[in-house]
Amino acid sequence: MMKGFEFNEHIERSPQDVFEVLSNPTRATEFLDNITASSKLTDGPIAVGTKFRETRVVNGKEASADLLVSAYEPNTQVSISTEAEGIKVEYHYHLSPDGGGTRLKWTCELEASGLRRMMLPMVAGIMKKEDGDHLRRLKAYLESG
């Protein structure tokens, strides 16, 4: 059973420019206030299997999570996943040329088994509230630069 949500945004920058920022979680601190730190844990260029550690403020408290790049197609698609307390979260970003800019589709999928499945609608709501405006913030950041 999967729960989640989806957002779309048009950004007046090329798919390459958008992908460059979006596919590197260490850049999230540049445009998201709730992300206080992000570091790359694996060596080499970013690709499927690259791991990051992200620290963010949630309800006034700092929490860290390990992120995994689970899909990576330059300028087209990147997916980032994490797992905590039996709930797997995957963010999928699909980029396509749109006029002179980029159409960015972001899908959040949450998965769990057993009793944790009952928590998915609540967790999806919390995540939508926490991260729901990050495409808008990404757009403002990229279009101002």
Side-chain angles (χ1 to χ4, degrees):
M1 179 179 184
M2 225 175 281
K3 292 277 182 203
F5 50 88
E6 182 177 304
F7 286 97
N8 281 278
E9 189 69 65
H10 173 84
I11 300 175
E12 283 295 329
R13 294 292 293 266
S14 71
Q16 182 177 352
D17 289 347
V18 176
F19 187 83
E20 190 177 302
V21 173
L22 199 57
S23 65
N24 184 349
T26 64
R27 305 241 356 230
T29 57
E30 297 171 23
F31 62 93
L32 294 174
D33 300 337
N34 64 332
I35 311 255
T36 58
S38 183
S39 58
K40 192 164 167 269
L41 301 176
T42 49
D43 293 330
I46 297 172
V48 171
T50 301
K51 292 183 181 173
F52 295 85
R53 178 157 301 135
E54 178 182 274
T55 303
R56 60 170 60 208
V57 176
V58 181
N59 295 327
K61 295 183 180 142
E62 268 196 354
S64 291
D66 288 350
L67 309 177
L68 174 71
V69 176
S70 53
Y72 189 90
E73 293 175 33
N75 309 329
T76 306
Q77 173 190 347
V78 65
S79 296
I80 311 276
S81 65
T82 188
E83 194 164 331
E85 299 178 28
I87 297 176
K88 182 180 180 189
V89 178
E90 193 146 14
Y91 283 180
H92 303 283
Y93 300 93
H94 294 273
L95 297 83
S96 56
D98 184 17
T102 301
R103 172 60 53 191
L104 178 58
K105 182 174 104 176
W106 168 46
T107 308
C108 171
E109 294 179 351
L110 294 97
E111 217 175 322
S113 57
L115 293 174
R116 298 247 185 247
R117 284 201 315 235
M118 293 188 300
M119 296 173 59
L120 291 181
M122 181 186 73
V123 172
I126 291 168
M127 296 192 73
K128 192 172 183 179
K129 186 177 177 216
E130 282 286 316
D131 288 344
D133 69 343
H134 89 268
L135 290 192
R136 198 172 34 80
R137 290 176 178 266
L138 174 67
K139 173 185 173 75
Y141 170 77
L142 283 168
E143 290 181 354
S144 70

